[in-house]
Every structure is written in C-alpha cells, then in structure tokens.
Amino acid sequence: MAEQATGPLEGADGRPERLRVFLVDDHAMFRAGVRAELGAHVEVVGEAGTVAEAVSRIAATLPDVVLLDVHMPDGGGRAVLDAMRRTHPQVRFLALSVSDAAEDVIGLIRAGARGYVTKTISPDELAAAVRRVAEGDAVFSPRLAGFVLDAFAARPDVPVADPELDQLTNREREVLRLLARGYAYKEIAKELYISIKTVETHVSNVLRKLQMSNRYELSRWAADRRLV
C-alpha cells in the first residue's frame, strides 16, 4: 500500500491549521501593511528588516513560509536564502518584490525560493500563494513564470550574470528599471519609499558606472537586457 502523505497544514482534528508566516522587508510600513492584510488568513510569527535579523529570527520561529523581499541594503533575499537553506531546509520561501526583472526572479529561484510574486498582488491572491508554497507548489506572478522556463528549460546553459549589470547595487537596479519605464524621479521615490534626492544620487551613480550621459541611453540599455 502506498504511504499517504501528510502535510503540516492539517491539525489533529482534521481542520486546516493557520499557516505560520514570517515577513522580511526593509520597509517597516510595508511589513505593517502585509501583516494587516494577511492577519485574517495566517499567523504572522515574526518580521525582520535586515538580513541578520531575518536569519536569527527565522531560525528561532521556524515558520512554514517566509515572505522575502529581494532587494535590501545589506544583501537582500539571496543572502537570507544562502544562510538558511542548508541549516533549515524545511522552511519555504516566497519572494515578494517590487522587481519583476528576469535576473531577480531566476536568481532567487536558483537560491532556493519556491515562488516569486510582485507587490502588486492582491491580499487574497497573496494568501493563496502562501498556502500553495506551504503545500509544496511553486508559485509565480503570471508573466514571471516564463523567465524561469527560459532559464531552466529552453536555455539552461545561458548564464544570468552580466558584468555591466553586476556593477550596480540592488537599489540602483530598481531605480534604473523604473527610470527606463518612464517614471519621473518623484514617482520612483514614491514607489521605492526613498527621497527624490536619493533617486538623483542613484541615477548619477548608474550613469557614471555605465559611462552614459542621459536617461535615454539608460532606457535603451535596460531594454536591450530585458530589464524593463
């Protein structure tokens, strides 16, 4: 007789248990919003705004699913995954990011995330995604699944690394991506929860590193690399 699989989502009385979820994002206001929106669906057992906090607190709480931001000042989601996957393989990770760039999606999945959704997702959809990841499924926002298929199936031998792109910090990549989509500095600042002055500084750094002179050259460069 085949052994019947039993998952962690069913209690002793046969009812589904509330999933235990941990939030990792460097914006406290965003974490508060996610906590409020998901509170009716899951038990949020902790949160962290840095990689070091995340690694320590995830190990202490052992949640079912970690909602993981991709870009943070001290290394982001990839650093958390690299630190956790060997010692706590039972914890599942779902990336939740403003970024929908192919290199971010592929990088997090290769590091061990079970899915990747963007921050435009609705609360109900996010709750459903969390449950699916806890049950062992892989979950992606619709257009992102193609990036993973390209990387792992159609073109498994194509490296994701890009020497020019690797010069940029995670935040500079986010600013570049939004700039290339036609966002004004004010809109970028609002989207990323940073000041307009900080946006200007990031743009100047990107122009200098890529040896370009204006945002139009940056936009073409980003489009050529499918970052837009």
Side-chain angles (χ1 to χ4, degrees), residues 99-211:
S99 171
D100 60 359
E103 73 274 11
D104 287 335
V105 179
I106 295 166
L108 265 290
I109 298 305
R110 282 183 169 160
R114 292 290 304 173
Y116 193 117
V117 294
T118 61
K119 290 182 177 179
T120 57
I121 193 170
S122 73
D124 287 344
E125 290 172 333
L126 181 58
V130 167
R131 180 161 293 277
R132 287 181 59 195
V133 166
E135 292 170 345
D137 290 344
V139 179
F140 299 93
S141 291
R143 70 181 295 268
L144 306 186
F147 297 153
V148 180
L149 291 174
D150 285 345
F152 289 92
R155 299 181 296 160
D157 57 337
V158 176
V160 177
D162 182 321
E164 288 186 298
L165 189 63
D166 287 345
Q167 299 178 75
L168 307 182
T169 67
N170 290 331
R171 183 64 84 190
E172 287 167 355
R173 295 186 194 189
E174 289 180 325
V175 170
L176 169 61
R177 192 172 298 114
L178 295 175
L179 190 73
R181 290 177 179 173
Y183 282 55
Y185 284 9
K186 182 178 180 181
E187 294 171 321
I188 295 174
K190 182 178 180 181
E191 183 76 16
L192 299 180
Y193 301 95
I194 57 180
S195 69
I196 295 176
K197 182 66 176 178
T198 301
V199 173
E200 293 172 348
T201 299
H202 286 314
V203 172
S204 295
N205 289 340
V206 172
L207 288 168
R208 174 178 53 79
K209 290 179 179 181
L210 299 181
Q211 299 182 6

Side-chain angles (χ1 to χ4, degrees), residues 34 52 57-58 60 65 112 141 145 173 175:
V34 173
R57 295 176 185 175
I58 292 169
V65 177
S141 291
R173 295 186 194 189
V175 170

Side-chain angles (χ1 to χ4, degrees), residues 46-103:
E47 60 183 70
T50 68
V51 171
E53 287 176 346
V55 171
S56 174
R57 295 176 185 175
I58 292 169
T61 56
L62 295 178
D64 298 308
V65 177
V66 176
L67 282 176
L68 186 65
D69 192 17
V70 176
H71 297 311
M72 296 189 295
D74 56 347
R78 181 63 182 266
V80 176
L81 281 164
D82 288 343
M84 298 298 300
R85 62 181 175 180
R86 292 184 182 88
T87 57
H88 296 81
Q90 76 276 28
V91 178
R92 295 188 169 116
F93 292 83
L94 172 62
L96 175 63
S97 177
V98 69
S99 171
D100 60 359
E103 73 274 11

